[in-house]
mmCIF file of all heavy atoms in Angstrom:
data_model
loop_
_atom_site.group_PDB
_atom_site.id
_atom_site.type_symbol
_atom_site.label_atom_id
_atom_site.label_comp_id
_atom_site.label_asym_id
_atom_site.label_seq_id
_atom_site.Cartn_x
_atom_site.Cartn_y
_atom_site.Cartn_z
ATOM 1 N N THR Y 1 16.691 -13.220 4.188
ATOM 2 C CA THR Y 1 15.518 -14.007 4.302
ATOM 3 C C THR Y 1 14.430 -13.329 3.579
ATOM 4 O O THR Y 1 13.826 -12.278 3.951
ATOM 5 C CB THR Y 1 15.114 -14.220 5.800
ATOM 6 O OG1 THR Y 1 16.263 -14.768 6.521
ATOM 7 C CG2 THR Y 1 13.969 -15.177 5.930
ATOM 8 N N ARG Y 2 14.125 -13.786 2.379
ATOM 9 C CA ARG Y 2 13.210 -13.192 1.544
ATOM 10 C C ARG Y 2 11.686 -13.481 1.846
ATOM 11 O O ARG Y 2 11.374 -14.529 2.294
ATOM 12 C CB ARG Y 2 13.523 -13.640 0.095
ATOM 13 C CG ARG Y 2 14.881 -13.204 -0.439
ATOM 14 C CD ARG Y 2 15.275 -13.929 -1.653
ATOM 15 N NE ARG Y 2 16.523 -13.466 -2.140
ATOM 16 C CZ ARG Y 2 17.729 -14.076 -1.756
ATOM 17 N NH1 ARG Y 2 17.666 -15.113 -0.944
ATOM 18 N NH2 ARG Y 2 18.858 -13.667 -2.210
ATOM 19 N N ALA Y 3 10.822 -12.586 1.412
ATOM 20 C CA ALA Y 3 9.418 -12.813 1.661
ATOM 21 C C ALA Y 3 8.610 -12.158 0.540
ATOM 22 O O ALA Y 3 8.987 -11.062 0.069
ATOM 23 C CB ALA Y 3 8.999 -12.235 3.072
ATOM 24 N N ASP Y 4 7.466 -12.680 0.129
ATOM 25 C CA ASP Y 4 6.541 -12.289 -0.855
ATOM 26 C C ASP Y 4 5.130 -12.070 -0.107
ATOM 27 O O ASP Y 4 4.836 -12.817 0.758
ATOM 28 C CB ASP Y 4 6.447 -13.222 -1.978
ATOM 29 C CG ASP Y 4 7.709 -13.501 -2.776
ATOM 30 O OD1 ASP Y 4 8.495 -12.595 -2.838
ATOM 31 O OD2 ASP Y 4 7.869 -14.642 -3.189
ATOM 32 N N PHE Y 5 4.460 -11.086 -0.498
ATOM 33 C CA PHE Y 5 3.130 -10.722 0.046
ATOM 34 C C PHE Y 5 2.088 -10.797 -1.046
ATOM 35 O O PHE Y 5 2.278 -10.281 -2.148
ATOM 36 C CB PHE Y 5 3.250 -9.305 0.595
ATOM 37 C CG PHE Y 5 4.196 -9.189 1.737
ATOM 38 C CD1 PHE Y 5 5.515 -8.971 1.513
ATOM 39 C CD2 PHE Y 5 3.708 -9.420 3.025
ATOM 40 C CE1 PHE Y 5 6.498 -8.846 2.608
ATOM 41 C CE2 PHE Y 5 4.622 -9.330 4.179
ATOM 42 C CZ PHE Y 5 6.000 -9.026 3.870
ATOM 43 N N TYR Y 6 0.950 -11.408 -0.731
ATOM 44 C CA TYR Y 6 -0.124 -11.632 -1.607
ATOM 45 C C TYR Y 6 -1.415 -11.324 -0.967
ATOM 46 O O TYR Y 6 -1.628 -11.384 0.222
ATOM 47 C CB TYR Y 6 -0.184 -13.133 -2.045
ATOM 48 C CG TYR Y 6 0.996 -13.509 -2.957
ATOM 49 C CD1 TYR Y 6 2.171 -14.090 -2.254
ATOM 50 C CD2 TYR Y 6 0.904 -13.464 -4.272
ATOM 51 C CE1 TYR Y 6 3.181 -14.411 -3.075
ATOM 52 C CE2 TYR Y 6 2.073 -13.878 -5.057
ATOM 53 C CZ TYR Y 6 3.191 -14.397 -4.484
ATOM 54 O OH TYR Y 6 4.200 -14.842 -5.234
ATOM 55 N N VAL Y 7 -2.398 -11.162 -1.853
ATOM 56 C CA VAL Y 7 -3.882 -11.341 -1.514
ATOM 57 C C VAL Y 7 -4.308 -12.549 -2.334
ATOM 58 O O VAL Y 7 -4.131 -12.606 -3.582
ATOM 59 C CB VAL Y 7 -4.640 -10.045 -1.893
ATOM 60 C CG1 VAL Y 7 -6.114 -10.337 -1.738
ATOM 61 C CG2 VAL Y 7 -4.277 -8.937 -1.125
ATOM 62 N N GLY Y 8 -4.858 -13.480 -1.552
ATOM 63 C CA GLY Y 8 -5.380 -14.775 -2.192
ATOM 64 C C GLY Y 8 -4.224 -15.795 -2.215
ATOM 65 O O GLY Y 8 -3.057 -15.441 -1.938
ATOM 66 N N ARG Y 9 -4.583 -16.897 -2.773
ATOM 67 C CA ARG Y 9 -3.630 -18.046 -2.940
ATOM 68 C C ARG Y 9 -3.726 -18.698 -4.252
ATOM 69 O O ARG Y 9 -4.764 -18.558 -4.908
ATOM 70 C CB ARG Y 9 -3.819 -19.074 -1.734
ATOM 71 C CG ARG Y 9 -3.482 -18.505 -0.368
ATOM 72 C CD ARG Y 9 -3.827 -19.642 0.605
ATOM 73 N NE ARG Y 9 -2.704 -20.605 0.409
ATOM 74 C CZ ARG Y 9 -2.519 -21.559 1.255
ATOM 75 N NH1 ARG Y 9 -3.314 -21.784 2.305
ATOM 76 N NH2 ARG Y 9 -1.501 -22.457 1.031
ATOM 77 N N GLY Y 10 -2.594 -19.245 -4.674
ATOM 78 C CA GLY Y 10 -2.692 -19.988 -5.948
ATOM 79 C C GLY Y 10 -2.474 -19.137 -7.165
ATOM 80 O O GLY Y 10 -1.998 -17.964 -7.059
ATOM 81 N N LYS Y 11 -2.843 -19.644 -8.280
ATOM 82 C CA LYS Y 11 -2.605 -18.834 -9.520
ATOM 83 C C LYS Y 11 -3.397 -17.678 -9.702
ATOM 84 O O LYS Y 11 -2.965 -16.732 -10.482
ATOM 85 C CB LYS Y 11 -2.879 -19.810 -10.741
ATOM 86 C CG LYS Y 11 -1.960 -21.003 -10.776
ATOM 87 C CD LYS Y 11 -2.143 -21.835 -11.957
ATOM 88 C CE LYS Y 11 -1.319 -23.013 -11.946
ATOM 89 N NZ LYS Y 11 -0.549 -23.263 -13.145
ATOM 90 N N LYS Y 12 -4.403 -17.473 -8.985
ATOM 91 C CA LYS Y 12 -5.356 -16.244 -9.080
ATOM 92 C C LYS Y 12 -4.903 -15.186 -7.985
ATOM 93 O O LYS Y 12 -5.638 -14.133 -7.791
ATOM 94 C CB LYS Y 12 -6.783 -16.680 -8.968
ATOM 95 C CG LYS Y 12 -7.274 -17.416 -10.227
ATOM 96 C CD LYS Y 12 -8.759 -17.618 -10.036
ATOM 97 C CE LYS Y 12 -9.136 -18.321 -11.377
ATOM 98 N NZ LYS Y 12 -10.562 -18.456 -11.433
ATOM 99 N N SER Y 13 -3.923 -15.515 -7.229
ATOM 100 C CA SER Y 13 -3.484 -14.565 -6.119
ATOM 101 C C SER Y 13 -2.825 -13.320 -6.812
ATOM 102 O O SER Y 13 -2.476 -13.292 -7.972
ATOM 103 C CB SER Y 13 -2.493 -15.204 -5.190
ATOM 104 O OG SER Y 13 -1.271 -15.553 -5.913
ATOM 105 N N GLU Y 14 -2.917 -12.272 -6.011
ATOM 106 C CA GLU Y 14 -2.368 -10.930 -6.496
ATOM 107 C C GLU Y 14 -1.080 -10.711 -5.646
ATOM 108 O O GLU Y 14 -1.084 -10.581 -4.382
ATOM 109 C CB GLU Y 14 -3.358 -9.846 -6.306
ATOM 110 C CG GLU Y 14 -2.820 -8.518 -6.650
ATOM 111 C CD GLU Y 14 -3.718 -7.309 -6.252
ATOM 112 O OE1 GLU Y 14 -4.910 -7.625 -5.803
ATOM 113 O OE2 GLU Y 14 -3.284 -6.151 -6.433
ATOM 114 N N TRP Y 15 0.048 -10.545 -6.345
ATOM 115 C CA TRP Y 15 1.307 -10.300 -5.716
ATOM 116 C C TRP Y 15 1.332 -8.755 -5.315
ATOM 117 O O TRP Y 15 1.167 -7.909 -6.303
ATOM 118 C CB TRP Y 15 2.441 -10.703 -6.617
ATOM 119 C CG TRP Y 15 3.752 -10.259 -6.136
ATOM 120 C CD1 TRP Y 15 4.436 -10.587 -4.918
ATOM 121 C CD2 TRP Y 15 4.729 -9.472 -6.803
ATOM 122 N NE1 TRP Y 15 5.597 -9.999 -4.932
ATOM 123 C CE2 TRP Y 15 5.845 -9.329 -5.997
ATOM 124 C CE3 TRP Y 15 4.685 -8.789 -8.083
ATOM 125 C CZ2 TRP Y 15 6.971 -8.672 -6.495
ATOM 126 C CZ3 TRP Y 15 5.747 -8.063 -8.503
ATOM 127 C CH2 TRP Y 15 6.937 -8.008 -7.666
ATOM 128 N N LEU Y 16 1.580 -8.416 -4.113
ATOM 129 C CA LEU Y 16 1.688 -7.018 -3.657
ATOM 130 C C LEU Y 16 3.076 -6.450 -3.566
ATOM 131 O O LEU Y 16 3.282 -5.358 -3.597
ATOM 132 C CB LEU Y 16 1.031 -6.900 -2.206
ATOM 133 C CG LEU Y 16 -0.484 -7.324 -2.140
ATOM 134 C CD1 LEU Y 16 -0.934 -7.175 -0.730
ATOM 135 C CD2 LEU Y 16 -1.337 -6.624 -3.090
ATOM 136 N N GLY Y 17 4.007 -7.477 -3.442
ATOM 137 C CA GLY Y 17 5.468 -7.040 -3.329
ATOM 138 C C GLY Y 17 6.356 -8.036 -2.598
ATOM 139 O O GLY Y 17 5.762 -8.978 -2.023
ATOM 140 N N SER Y 18 7.518 -7.720 -2.448
ATOM 141 C CA SER Y 18 8.548 -8.558 -1.756
ATOM 142 C C SER Y 18 9.487 -7.821 -1.096
ATOM 143 O O SER Y 18 9.825 -6.596 -1.332
ATOM 144 C CB SER Y 18 9.175 -9.464 -2.895
ATOM 145 O OG SER Y 18 8.331 -10.184 -3.633
ATOM 146 N N ILE Y 19 10.106 -8.483 -0.102
ATOM 147 C CA ILE Y 19 11.383 -7.940 0.674
ATOM 148 C C ILE Y 19 12.547 -8.894 0.542
ATOM 149 O O ILE Y 19 12.326 -10.029 0.457
ATOM 150 C CB ILE Y 19 11.104 -7.532 2.099
ATOM 151 C CG1 ILE Y 19 10.585 -8.857 2.868
ATOM 152 C CG2 ILE Y 19 10.087 -6.306 2.082
ATOM 153 C CD1 ILE Y 19 10.474 -8.487 4.280
ATOM 154 N N ALA Y 20 13.668 -8.385 0.608
ATOM 155 C CA ALA Y 20 14.909 -9.334 0.391
ATOM 156 C C ALA Y 20 15.547 -9.635 1.724
ATOM 157 O O ALA Y 20 16.375 -10.479 1.808
ATOM 158 C CB ALA Y 20 15.879 -8.487 -0.487
ATOM 159 N N TRP Y 21 15.165 -8.887 2.875
ATOM 160 C CA TRP Y 21 15.894 -9.163 4.094
ATOM 161 C C TRP Y 21 14.786 -9.243 5.213
ATOM 162 O O TRP Y 21 13.782 -8.558 5.198
ATOM 163 C CB TRP Y 21 16.791 -7.996 4.481
ATOM 164 C CG TRP Y 21 17.879 -7.896 3.502
ATOM 165 C CD1 TRP Y 21 17.882 -7.011 2.432
ATOM 166 C CD2 TRP Y 21 19.119 -8.601 3.364
ATOM 167 N NE1 TRP Y 21 19.043 -7.147 1.631
ATOM 168 C CE2 TRP Y 21 19.768 -8.202 2.193
ATOM 169 C CE3 TRP Y 21 19.645 -9.575 4.149
ATOM 170 C CZ2 TRP Y 21 21.010 -8.692 1.859
ATOM 171 C CZ3 TRP Y 21 20.844 -10.116 3.639
ATOM 172 C CH2 TRP Y 21 21.525 -9.718 2.546
ATOM 173 N N ASP Y 22 15.128 -10.069 6.237
ATOM 174 C CA ASP Y 22 14.298 -10.022 7.479
ATOM 175 C C ASP Y 22 12.825 -10.506 7.159
ATOM 176 O O ASP Y 22 11.873 -9.911 7.727
ATOM 177 C CB ASP Y 22 14.393 -8.762 8.234
ATOM 178 C CG ASP Y 22 15.736 -8.395 8.673
ATOM 179 O OD1 ASP Y 22 16.541 -9.335 8.936
ATOM 180 O OD2 ASP Y 22 16.024 -7.289 8.831
ATOM 181 N N GLY Y 23 12.645 -11.429 6.331
ATOM 182 C CA GLY Y 23 11.251 -11.850 5.953
ATOM 183 C C GLY Y 23 10.694 -12.875 6.846
ATOM 184 O O GLY Y 23 9.515 -13.281 6.659
ATOM 185 N N TYR Y 24 11.337 -13.358 7.782
ATOM 186 C CA TYR Y 24 10.903 -14.352 8.825
ATOM 187 C C TYR Y 24 9.757 -13.779 9.571
ATOM 188 O O TYR Y 24 9.580 -12.536 9.667
ATOM 189 C CB TYR Y 24 11.977 -14.833 9.738
ATOM 190 C CG TYR Y 24 12.882 -13.741 10.257
ATOM 191 C CD1 TYR Y 24 12.507 -13.022 11.374
ATOM 192 C CD2 TYR Y 24 14.112 -13.449 9.600
ATOM 193 C CE1 TYR Y 24 13.380 -11.971 11.826
ATOM 194 C CE2 TYR Y 24 14.922 -12.388 10.082
ATOM 195 C CZ TYR Y 24 14.485 -11.701 11.188
ATOM 196 O OH TYR Y 24 15.283 -10.628 11.593
ATOM 197 N N PRO Y 25 8.893 -14.632 10.104
ATOM 198 C CA PRO Y 25 7.574 -14.129 10.791
ATOM 199 C C PRO Y 25 7.832 -13.049 11.855
ATOM 200 O O PRO Y 25 7.060 -12.058 11.845
ATOM 201 C CB PRO Y 25 7.043 -15.409 11.373
ATOM 202 C CG PRO Y 25 7.474 -16.369 10.479
ATOM 203 C CD PRO Y 25 8.882 -15.996 10.028
ATOM 204 N N SER Y 26 8.895 -13.180 12.731
ATOM 205 C CA SER Y 26 9.163 -12.137 13.667
ATOM 206 C C SER Y 26 9.555 -10.706 13.081
ATOM 207 O O SER Y 26 9.547 -9.746 13.723
ATOM 208 C CB SER Y 26 10.063 -12.631 14.682
ATOM 209 O OG SER Y 26 11.324 -12.882 14.184
ATOM 210 N N GLY Y 27 10.030 -10.800 11.799
ATOM 211 C CA GLY Y 27 10.489 -9.591 11.094
ATOM 212 C C GLY Y 27 9.248 -8.788 10.469
ATOM 213 O O GLY Y 27 9.353 -7.721 9.935
ATOM 214 N N ILE Y 28 8.097 -9.469 10.482
ATOM 215 C CA ILE Y 28 6.852 -8.891 9.871
ATOM 216 C C ILE Y 28 6.020 -8.246 11.019
ATOM 217 O O ILE Y 28 5.767 -8.785 11.977
ATOM 218 C CB ILE Y 28 6.027 -9.987 9.170
ATOM 219 C CG1 ILE Y 28 6.872 -10.718 8.196
ATOM 220 C CG2 ILE Y 28 4.828 -9.334 8.478
ATOM 221 C CD1 ILE Y 28 7.602 -9.877 7.100
ATOM 222 N N PRO Y 29 5.714 -6.926 10.784
ATOM 223 C CA PRO Y 29 5.030 -6.260 11.838
ATOM 224 C C PRO Y 29 3.640 -6.872 12.229
ATOM 225 O O PRO Y 29 2.973 -7.368 11.329
ATOM 226 C CB PRO Y 29 4.706 -4.887 11.253
ATOM 227 C CG PRO Y 29 5.681 -4.686 10.106
ATOM 228 C CD PRO Y 29 5.993 -6.049 9.631
ATOM 229 N N GLU Y 30 3.241 -6.719 13.455
ATOM 230 C CA GLU Y 30 1.964 -7.274 13.885
ATOM 231 C C GLU Y 30 0.859 -6.556 13.179
ATOM 232 O O GLU Y 30 -0.221 -7.192 13.010
ATOM 233 C CB GLU Y 30 1.778 -6.974 15.416
ATOM 234 C CG GLU Y 30 2.619 -7.962 16.313
ATOM 235 C CD GLU Y 30 2.348 -7.846 17.810
ATOM 236 O OE1 GLU Y 30 1.160 -7.638 18.139
ATOM 237 O OE2 GLU Y 30 3.322 -7.853 18.555
ATOM 238 N N SER Y 31 1.038 -5.377 12.751
ATOM 239 C CA SER Y 31 0.074 -4.671 12.052
ATOM 240 C C SER Y 31 -0.391 -5.365 10.765
ATOM 241 O O SER Y 31 -1.516 -5.245 10.277
ATOM 242 C CB SER Y 31 0.420 -3.257 11.706
ATOM 243 O OG SER Y 31 1.569 -3.193 10.907
ATOM 244 N N ILE Y 32 0.520 -6.127 10.179
ATOM 245 C CA ILE Y 32 0.247 -6.927 9.011
ATOM 246 C C ILE Y 32 -0.262 -8.363 9.431
ATOM 247 O O ILE Y 32 -1.368 -8.695 8.973
ATOM 248 C CB ILE Y 32 1.594 -7.137 8.181
ATOM 249 C CG1 ILE Y 32 1.921 -5.762 7.505
ATOM 250 C CG2 ILE Y 32 1.289 -8.192 7.035
ATOM 251 C CD1 ILE Y 32 3.215 -5.862 6.769
ATOM 252 N N ARG Y 33 0.401 -8.956 10.404
ATOM 253 C CA ARG Y 33 0.078 -10.248 10.827
ATOM 254 C C ARG Y 33 -1.405 -10.291 11.413
ATOM 255 O O ARG Y 33 -2.049 -11.378 11.408
ATOM 256 C CB ARG Y 33 1.010 -10.921 11.795
ATOM 257 C CG ARG Y 33 2.378 -11.107 11.068
ATOM 258 C CD ARG Y 33 3.326 -11.775 12.123
ATOM 259 N NE ARG Y 33 3.959 -10.732 12.882
ATOM 260 C CZ ARG Y 33 4.109 -10.929 14.143
ATOM 261 N NH1 ARG Y 33 3.743 -11.965 14.824
ATOM 262 N NH2 ARG Y 33 4.591 -9.872 14.950
ATOM 263 N N ASP Y 34 -1.887 -9.208 12.065
ATOM 264 C CA ASP Y 34 -3.110 -9.177 12.778
ATOM 265 C C ASP Y 34 -4.240 -8.687 11.942
ATOM 266 O O ASP Y 34 -5.394 -8.540 12.427
ATOM 267 C CB ASP Y 34 -3.059 -8.420 13.968
ATOM 268 C CG ASP Y 34 -2.107 -9.017 15.145
ATOM 269 O OD1 ASP Y 34 -1.835 -10.305 14.861
ATOM 270 O OD2 ASP Y 34 -1.658 -8.382 15.973
ATOM 271 N N CYS Y 35 -4.083 -8.367 10.596
ATOM 272 C CA CYS Y 35 -5.116 -7.734 9.749
ATOM 273 C C CYS Y 35 -6.323 -8.753 9.698
ATOM 274 O O CYS Y 35 -6.198 -9.971 9.521
ATOM 275 C CB CYS Y 35 -4.610 -7.495 8.403
ATOM 276 S SG CYS Y 35 -3.605 -5.960 8.374
ATOM 277 N N ARG Y 36 -7.532 -8.238 9.751
ATOM 278 C CA ARG Y 36 -8.739 -9.009 9.578
ATOM 279 C C ARG Y 36 -9.564 -8.683 8.314
ATOM 280 O O ARG Y 36 -10.548 -9.331 8.100
ATOM 281 C CB ARG Y 36 -9.632 -8.736 10.879
ATOM 282 C CG ARG Y 36 -8.902 -9.196 12.230
ATOM 283 C CD ARG Y 36 -8.853 -10.648 12.259
ATOM 284 N NE ARG Y 36 -8.207 -11.049 13.421
ATOM 285 C CZ ARG Y 36 -7.154 -11.815 13.521
ATOM 286 N NH1 ARG Y 36 -6.644 -12.261 12.466
ATOM 287 N NH2 ARG Y 36 -6.576 -12.154 14.702
ATOM 288 N N THR Y 37 -9.056 -7.608 7.595
ATOM 289 C CA THR Y 37 -9.779 -7.313 6.395
ATOM 290 C C THR Y 37 -8.753 -7.119 5.320
ATOM 291 O O THR Y 37 -7.603 -6.771 5.498
ATOM 292 C CB THR Y 37 -10.554 -5.985 6.483
ATOM 293 O OG1 THR Y 37 -9.654 -4.807 6.684
ATOM 294 C CG2 THR Y 37 -11.593 -5.882 7.617
ATOM 295 N N GLU Y 38 -9.141 -7.366 4.095
ATOM 296 C CA GLU Y 38 -8.289 -7.303 2.948
ATOM 297 C C GLU Y 38 -7.851 -5.816 2.848
ATOM 298 O O GLU Y 38 -6.643 -5.634 2.545
ATOM 299 C CB GLU Y 38 -8.977 -7.759 1.687
ATOM 300 C CG GLU Y 38 -8.139 -7.694 0.464
ATOM 301 C CD GLU Y 38 -8.741 -8.140 -0.783
ATOM 302 O OE1 GLU Y 38 -9.681 -9.038 -0.742
ATOM 303 O OE2 GLU Y 38 -8.389 -7.562 -1.859
#
């Protein structure tokens, strides 16, 4: 289950990286999901 990580959306977004396994929401740490600052 692949996942890509970005800052921003659309054509001006910045790609930060990707993972090839366990990309579903429960596989992403709360430390990422709960961030309030860029």
Side-chain angles (χ1 to χ4, degrees):
T1 303
R2 296 169 180 90
D4 300 325
F5 296 86
Y6 292 90
V7 170
R9 294 183 69 173
K11 293 185 184 225
K12 293 186 178 184
S13 63
E14 178 186 354
W15 172 58
L16 302 178
S18 300
I19 58 172
W21 300 98
D22 300 331
Y24 43 83
S26 63
I28 305 305
E30 283 185 42
S31 63
I32 292 173
R33 293 182 284 134
D34 292 345
C35 285
R36 299 289 180 236
T37 67
E38 180 181 328

